[in-house]
Amino acid sequence: MTSAAQPDLGILLSVAFEQFVIDLRAHLASQGFADLGRADGFVLRTLHRGPMTVSDLAGRLGITKQGAAQVVDDMQRRDLVHRGRDPRDARARPVELTDRGRAVLSAASTFHRRTERELVKAHGADAVAALRVILTDLAGPAADTPEPQLRLGAV
């Protein structure tokens, strides 16, 4: 294939991400999690560090407080999160993961590890390590943390 006929790199990145999400959703559905919404993974990954208020969650995800409240309400209905009580502030209702929410994260983590093992098997450890370096560079400073921040507002 000549370079003029190759797809744009941005398109390839987008299509690869879309396929990854399709495969992840199929895996999660096979594990009993067919009811997941588009934002759920972002929220679950953010809350796995610990409970936080809807306002804090909104800030981390780059969405409005009202938007975050709607997402949390929907996820609570599906038993992925619940609003707890803060013993220091009766008005505060920190959002935290339920057992089901933690199970979704565990199933997703299993899928991520399996996908990386398959890439290593198909392309070699050096190629996957190089891909990780390139993706980290493309992600910029946000990737330079132990747990990169996921921003729902950017999707």
Side-chain angles (χ1 to χ4, degrees):
M1 181 181 274
T2 66
S3 71
Q6 290 181 345
D8 179 74
L9 183 60
I11 298 298
L12 284 175
L13 288 169
S14 180
V15 170
F17 175 73
E18 287 175 15
Q19 188 60 53
F20 178 84
V21 171
I22 289 167
D23 294 346
L24 173 60
R25 286 188 176 279
H27 170 78
L28 292 173
S30 77
Q31 302 298 304
F33 306 112
D35 64 336
L36 298 177
R38 181 177 153 266
D40 293 350
F42 292 92
V43 175
L44 294 172
R45 287 294 301 243
T46 300
L47 289 176
H48 93 279
R49 295 180 209 127
M52 65 180 61
T53 66
V54 169
S55 293
D56 290 339
L57 183 62
R60 291 228 183 202
L61 295 174
I63 60 176
T64 66
K65 182 179 173 184
Q66 293 79 12
Q70 289 175 351
V71 169
V72 167
D73 287 345
D74 181 53
M75 291 179 72
Q76 187 167 359
R77 181 184 55 74
R78 291 177 286 120
D79 192 34
L80 296 168
V81 302
H82 72 90
R83 289 187 170 119
R85 298 273 184 214
D86 186 332
R88 296 162 290 161
D89 182 353
R91 297 169 297 159
R93 303 276 320 261
V95 180
E96 52 194 319
L97 297 176
T98 62
D99 289 342
R100 185 169 190 262
R102 284 186 287 279
V104 170
L105 280 177
S106 178
S109 181
T110 297
F111 173 81
H112 288 223
R113 288 189 308 270
R114 185 186 78 204
T115 299
E116 188 162 346
R117 283 192 309 270
E118 290 171 355
L119 285 171
V120 167
K121 186 176 179 183
H123 303 284
D126 289 344
V128 173
L131 176 62
R132 185 178 293 280
V133 168
I134 292 166
L135 291 174
T136 300
D137 186 55
L138 288 171
D144 292 337
T145 63
E147 186 66 36
Q149 186 170 331
L150 300 170
R151 300 195 58 84
L152 180 58
V155 176

